[in-house]
Amino acid sequence: MTAYDAADLARSASEHLWMHFTRHSTFADTPPPVIVRGEGAYVFDAEGKRYLDGLAGLFAVQVGHGREELAQAAAEQTRQLGYFPLWGTAHPKAVELAERLAASAPGDINRVFFTVSGGESVETAWKLAKQYFKLTGKPTKHKVISRSLAYHGTSQGALSITGIPAAKQDFEPLVPSAIKVPNTNIYRAPVFGDDPEAYGRWAADQIAAAIEMEGPDTVAAVFLEPVQNTGGCFVPPPGYFQRVREICDQYDVLLVSDEVICAFGRLGHDFGAKRYGYQPDIITVAKGLTSGYAPLGAVLVSDRLMEPYLQGTTTFLHGSTYGGHPVSCAVAMANLDLMENEGIYAHVLSNEAAFRSTLDKLSDLPIVGDVRGAGFFYGIELVKDKETKETFSAEESERVLRGFLSSALFDAGLYCRADDRAEPVIQFSPPLICDQQQFDEIEQILRKVLTEAWHLL
């Protein structure tokens, strides 16, 4: 692609493309970068510059970019059956994929409802929970509980479950009956900050307190990520999910494990619930299911939730045109084959300590407050003062994080996320094929850019 082509693409993007979650004023004088190709852990822009994809696109590209096997799977399925809906009919790839997911899901989770995205999966799970309780004689159970700062999607229902005030305020009023409880950021724990197990118990018990406050006969479900994304990769303290499971059983509340990011190897397992040893009633997935090569999500459901729908005229009046698209399902099957054949989950587990220790080297920088995460999913919280954990002011966050770090990291050849929806953090979620070479590259770029950022405070 010529330089003229690159400039023309960038100009056209500035004039016609409405990018997601984007401040378009940023590109008033400088057009947006245009990514045209990917290879392994790297992507290339229209001018040929290479970037390490430290975010796997958007927590999705597990097996890396440019995998011919996935392109071939899509092409073959397109030739055979390019599209047909799952409205009262089935097609082979949806059947095969549903069976495969059911076989690997924990416990009695044996039913799979396909969607197009993670947000749609969350929306579907809430609707299912509400109808399930109506069908089982508990029609007042409709409320949901989720954690502060947690992100669960942008549709009206999923956005209501989302716990990020700034993401919601422009779209209110939203769907009522979504209650928030504390998250598991022990770095800023209000109590038991030196005792992870006690803190986990306290955080879980806040769910019980919320259920009691709202009334157990009104609460349908609790939505939790195995490792919470927003805020910078909050891992669950020891015993946290076991206590949450006890609470859900006590109050007859469904436990929804939102694994849109955490499933399919991000934490070194097919499902994050397995890593942390808890049994959900529902699992929501997307992203890594196809390594981002085709849009596909799913809601994995326990047998008992399906049972009322197997009788009489009962119907789940919900679906979408492209949910379970045959091409997407074919890509998912090929993607899961790749991860199995190449031992991707074992690779993550055997390399996560090296990734963590490489990022930990940055702790000598005065701007680095905390490094946290699991698998290939880490966040670095930035601070003004390591001793007091003082965070940035709104003005400093705007100037340093948005005004400098985001573009400086990208200009240095590293694509990642500098985020201030909670405390200021930098997040990493690289393709699961990465190794020490990429870990070192991330650390070296970060060290240089974070050192420069510190002098801007």
Side-chain angles (χ1 to χ4, degrees):
M1 181 167 290
T2 66
Y4 174 80
D5 293 327
D8 193 51
L9 277 171
R11 177 198 56 75
S12 184
S14 296
E15 294 178 358
H16 302 294
L17 184 62
W18 196 328
M19 291 166 283
H20 298 199
F21 288 96
T22 297
R23 285 187 182 180
H24 283 77
S25 61
T26 303
F27 304 115
D29 299 316
T30 303
V34 179
I35 303 300
V36 299
R37 183 172 67 88
E39 181 180 331
Y42 299 88
V43 294
F44 300 79
D45 67 19
E47 296 180 339
K49 183 176 178 180
R50 190 183 80 164
Y51 305 85
L52 172 57
D53 183 0
L55 208 61
L58 196 61
F59 314 101
V61 188
Q62 316 294 63
V63 297
H65 297 276
R67 299 303 299 259
E68 179 62 29
E69 302 94 328
L70 302 190
Q72 186 64 32
E76 290 177 358
Q77 181 59 45
T78 301
R79 294 187 190 101
Q80 182 173 354
L81 179 66
Y83 170 71
F84 208 76
L86 296 178
W87 294 45
T89 60
H91 55 74
K93 288 303 179 184
V95 174
E96 293 169 11
L97 182 57
E99 181 180 5
R100 186 171 189 167
L101 293 175
S104 62
D108 67 342
I109 293 179
N110 289 309
R111 292 282 180 164
V112 180
F113 186 102
F114 286 114
T115 68
V116 178
S117 69
E120 186 185 329
S121 294
V122 170
E123 194 87 16
T124 300
W126 190 4
K127 290 179 71 174
L128 174 61
K130 290 197 286 187
Q131 187 181 16
Y132 168 76
F133 282 116
K134 285 181 170 63
L135 293 172
T136 55
K138 298 180 179 180
T140 60
K141 290 177 78 71
H142 65 280
K143 298 176 184 177
V144 294
I145 293 171
S146 59
R147 294 184 292 203
S148 171
L149 302 178
Y151 177 83
H152 293 283
T154 57
S155 58
Q156 291 284 292
L159 187 57
S160 299
I161 299 173
T162 290
I164 307 169
K168 300 156 64 126
Q169 60 192 18
D170 288 338
F171 309 106
E172 294 172 333
L174 296 171
V175 181
S177 307
I179 296 93
K180 306 299 175 288
V181 295
N183 57 50
T184 60
N185 182 10
I186 195 168
Y187 181 67
R188 297 194 176 277
V191 294
F192 305 117
D194 57 350
D195 187 339
E197 190 168 347
Y199 178 62
R201 176 79 183 206
W202 173 85
D205 283 344
Q206 302 313 299
I207 295 174
I211 293 172
E212 287 286 352
M213 177 67 70
E214 295 298 321
D217 60 339
T218 71
V219 180
V222 176
F223 282 73
L224 304 174
E225 297 167 277
V227 174
Q228 181 174 316
N229 174 34
T230 305
C233 303
F234 303 151
V235 297
Y240 173 79
F241 274 110
Q242 288 66 37
R243 175 60 182 146
V244 171
R245 182 70 265 180
E246 291 176 356
I247 292 166
C248 290
D249 290 340
Q250 177 183 351
Y251 293 107
D252 192 19
V253 170
L254 303 179
L255 175 54
V256 182
S257 189
D258 184 357
E259 306 207 13
V260 170
I261 289 176
C262 292
F264 309 116
R266 184 55 51 194
L267 303 180
H269 295 261
D270 46 3
F271 297 103
K274 288 185 178 180
R275 172 161 184 151
Y276 295 111
Y278 64 95
Q279 179 60 52
D281 299 295
I282 299 173
I283 302 176
T284 56
V285 300
K287 294 187 184 292
L289 177 55
T290 65
S291 277
Y293 279 65
L296 184 67
V299 182
L300 284 58
V301 182
S302 69
D303 288 335
R304 75 180 179 100
L305 298 186
M306 182 66 190
E307 200 277 333
Y309 295 93
L310 301 177
Q311 305 172 23
T313 61
T314 302
T315 304
F316 186 39
L317 292 174
H318 178 72
S320 61
T321 301
Y322 295 122
H325 193 288
V327 176
S328 295
C329 289
V331 170
M333 289 292 288
N335 177 60
L336 295 176
D337 285 344
L338 275 179
M339 288 197 279
E340 181 177 333
N341 295 338
E342 297 180 3
I344 293 294
Y345 299 164
H347 175 78
V348 171
L349 292 175
S350 63
N351 282 274
E352 67 173 335
F355 190 16
R356 172 63 184 263
S357 64
T358 303
L359 294 177
D360 277 337
K361 293 179 181 178
L362 298 165
S363 296
D364 67 336
L365 298 178
I367 199 172
V368 173
D370 191 33
V371 179
R372 51 183 178 254
F376 275 26
F377 189 31
Y378 286 95
I380 298 175
E381 183 168 335
L382 308 179
V383 295
K384 286 176 61 176
D385 189 308
K386 293 170 76 81
E387 294 299 320
T388 65
K389 302 181 183 179
E390 181 184 0
T391 190
F392 297 176
S393 67
E395 185 275 331
E396 289 165 337
S397 186
E398 179 70 26
R399 174 165 47 86
V400 177
L401 204 74
R402 293 180 179 273
F404 173 73
L405 271 176
S406 292
S407 58
L409 288 167
F410 193 74
D411 290 344
L414 176 61
Y415 172 68
C416 59
R417 169 179 278 180
D419 190 7
D420 64 348
R421 291 176 296 177
E423 309 299 343
V425 297
I426 299 176
Q427 283 185 283
F428 300 95
S429 170
L432 305 185
I433 59 171
C434 289
D435 57 23
Q436 192 62 51
Q437 176 185 338
Q438 285 78 39
F439 304 158
D440 288 340
E441 189 174 346
I442 289 171
E443 189 271 338
Q444 290 160 13
I445 292 174
L446 274 175
R447 180 169 295 279
K448 178 179 184 299
V449 175
L450 287 178
T451 299
E452 294 172 2
W454 173 251
H455 296 296
L456 297 177
L457 287 172

